[in-house]
Amino acid sequence: MELRLLSFPLTKAVPLAISRGTTAAVEHLLVEVEQDGLTGIGETGGFDTGHREFTTAAIAAELQALAPRLRDLAPQPLQALEPLLASLSPPARCGLDLALHDWWGKRLGVPLHRLWGLDPQLGVPTSVTLGLGSVEAVLARLQRWWSQLPATRIKLKLGSPEGLDHDRALVEAVAEALDRQQQIGGLAAELQVDANGGWDLEGARAMVGWLADHQVALVEQPLPPIEDPEADSAAFAALELDCPIALVADESCWSLADVVRLAPYVDGVNIKLLKSGGLAEALLMAQAARRLGLEVMLGCYSDSALLNGAAAQLLPLVRWPDLDSHLNLVDDPFAGPTLEADRLHPGVSPGLGVALTTELAGSATARADRSGSEGPGPLPGA
């Protein structure tokens, strides 16, 4: 098979501020694998969790170095490619994993959720995100979401550099807005909060009971992630007994091993494809979490409809979807997952169910869209 990488920009309509900083735009990679006239597509890009950082340039270099070793291999069976995939960083592995799964689904002519026996009708509403800012700015962002879709799940970013008093002011203002919306005939809304590791243990203990009193449904990653797994687990254990609302691990949870490690101390885990290394690991994580009695959140970074459409294949396994990043883009070149009110559905076409709608120069997928068939010939190596 042949591998090609193409860089493309993604620009947010509203920049997103979290405890670690603000993001207005990113550069991501389209990953294409071509074999036998079929092209599978995937997406990847850099991200920073506070204790691990990956750049898009470094990810591209990893995949470019791997390209010559792929030329004598076929996209299937996936098991034969596991040693090569295991050598990659999680985001590099994710891009290739998605392209291989997309190729597989296209070869078989069905979307992945059908191959896995999942029922897309079991999906539930996605949350939409309010970044950090002034009370006025956060409320304005909420109104903008409500002008776009009937959002019934709101995720509020906390861990403000201005301290816990500002976090409390944001929660109070958003909770009051949700109450007002319901009183004038709007749907009841669930409020979630995500500190992105912005609190220390003392602050987290002070906040979780207060959040419960304000009917917040869950708190995500209240404590900074720690590279050492035992220390990271111990931090969650120290908070868990004092936490009266659902406690969800995000930046601390990357793999199936992390799900098992954190299961005694949390109520749920946030699975993101760039962290997990793609769909193969994410599917295992979601299934294992459910068997261990944990709830599953499915999240995103600054991702397009391609990454979120891939994640959407797992929605039947998820209680707390959080796949809203593509809804906040002005230049998303992909389409696939559909939105019914605030409920996201995976695309129905084979593979990931995602199509390229804006031509990216040199893309075999773009050539296929123009011709009505797959690409005219092998792609050059990356």
Side-chain angles (χ1 to χ4, degrees):
M1 64 179 142
E2 298 292 332
L3 173 71
R4 186 177 183 91
L5 307 178
L6 296 167
S7 178
F8 62 95
L10 294 172
T11 308
K12 294 180 184 292
V14 179
L16 178 65
I18 66 172
S19 63
R20 293 189 300 272
T22 301
T23 303
V26 297
E27 196 80 10
H28 271 204
L29 295 172
L30 171 63
V31 181
E32 295 180 324
V33 295
E34 191 271 344
Q35 174 88 9
D36 299 334
L38 285 175
T39 301
I41 60 173
E43 177 186 351
T44 187
F47 64 99
D48 180 4
T49 62
H51 70 320
R52 299 179 191 176
E53 182 178 6
F54 304 90
T55 68
T56 300
I59 295 164
E62 282 187 78
L63 291 170
Q64 288 167 343
L66 185 66
R69 301 175 64 186
L70 296 176
R71 291 193 183 109
D72 294 329
L73 302 175
Q76 287 291 315
L78 282 173
Q79 186 177 18
L81 299 171
E82 286 178 356
L84 289 179
L85 290 165
S87 69
L88 299 172
S89 68
R93 186 164 68 250
C94 174
L96 184 53
D97 169 281
L98 297 191
L100 292 168
H101 275 92
D102 189 48
W103 188 95
W104 178 48
K106 287 174 177 175
R107 169 53 60 92
L108 297 177
V110 291
L112 292 174
H113 63 263
R114 284 185 56 191
L115 290 172
W116 292 330
L118 302 179
D119 181 359
Q121 297 306 310
L122 297 179
V124 297
T126 186
S127 60
V128 297
T129 303
L130 308 177
L132 281 171
S134 67
V135 169
E136 294 75 17
V138 169
L139 292 178
R141 182 67 181 107
L142 177 59
Q143 291 298 328
R144 181 176 175 130
W145 274 124
W146 276 335
S147 71
Q148 187 174 349
L149 73 163
T152 59
R153 277 183 161 160
I154 308 300
K155 176 180 283 192
L156 173 62
K157 296 290 188 178
L158 299 181
S160 170
E162 298 180 45
L164 296 182
D165 286 343
H166 186 67
D167 283 346
R168 293 188 184 98
L170 292 178
V171 171
E172 290 173 340
V174 172
E176 289 173 5
L178 299 184
D179 287 341
R180 287 195 302 271
Q181 180 75 359
Q182 185 176 0
Q183 290 169 9
I184 63 173
L187 297 173
E190 176 182 278
L191 178 57
Q192 308 170 1
V193 302
D194 179 8
N196 287 113
W199 298 331
D200 59 20
L201 181 58
E202 181 182 2
R205 283 174 169 162
M207 285 295 293
V208 291
W210 185 90
L211 292 170
D213 291 340
H214 286 73
Q215 287 74 55
V216 173
L218 64 86
V219 58
E220 186 181 346
Q221 196 69 38
L223 303 171
I226 302 173
E227 191 71 36
D228 176 67
E230 291 188 7
D232 188 74
S233 297
F236 276 98
L239 177 62
E240 184 260 343
L241 293 177
D242 299 317
C243 192
I245 59 176
L247 179 59
V248 178
D250 176 8
E251 286 89 343
S252 291
C253 187
W254 293 65
S255 65
L256 177 59
D258 289 324
V259 172
V260 175
R261 169 177 67 83
L262 291 165
Y265 315 114
V266 300
D267 302 290
V269 292
N270 188 343
I271 300 171
K272 295 176 179 174
L273 297 186
L274 288 177
K275 281 192 307 171
S276 72
L279 282 166
E281 185 77 4
L283 177 61
L284 288 174
M285 291 170 71
Q287 292 172 327
R290 286 160 59 93
R291 288 293 184 94
L292 291 167
L294 301 180
E295 301 291 354
V296 176
M297 180 180 286
L298 189 62
C300 56
Y301 291 104
S302 300
D303 305 332
S304 80
L306 175 49
L307 257 168
N308 284 352
Q313 301 292 324
L314 300 173
L315 283 173
L317 300 173
V318 176
R319 177 178 177 184
W320 296 309
D322 181 32
L323 298 177
D324 64 335
S325 59
H326 67 294
L327 304 176
N328 184 37
L329 294 176
V330 299
D331 51 2
D332 191 344
F334 302 99
T338 57
L339 198 63
E340 177 187 4
D342 58 352
R343 190 182 302 251
L344 198 67
H345 297 285
V348 297
S349 56
L352 300 180
V354 178
L356 181 63
T357 59
T358 302
E359 183 172 328
L360 301 179
S363 167
T365 308
R367 295 199 299 270
D369 290 345
R370 289 201 307 272
S371 66
S373 61
E374 292 296 336
L379 294 167

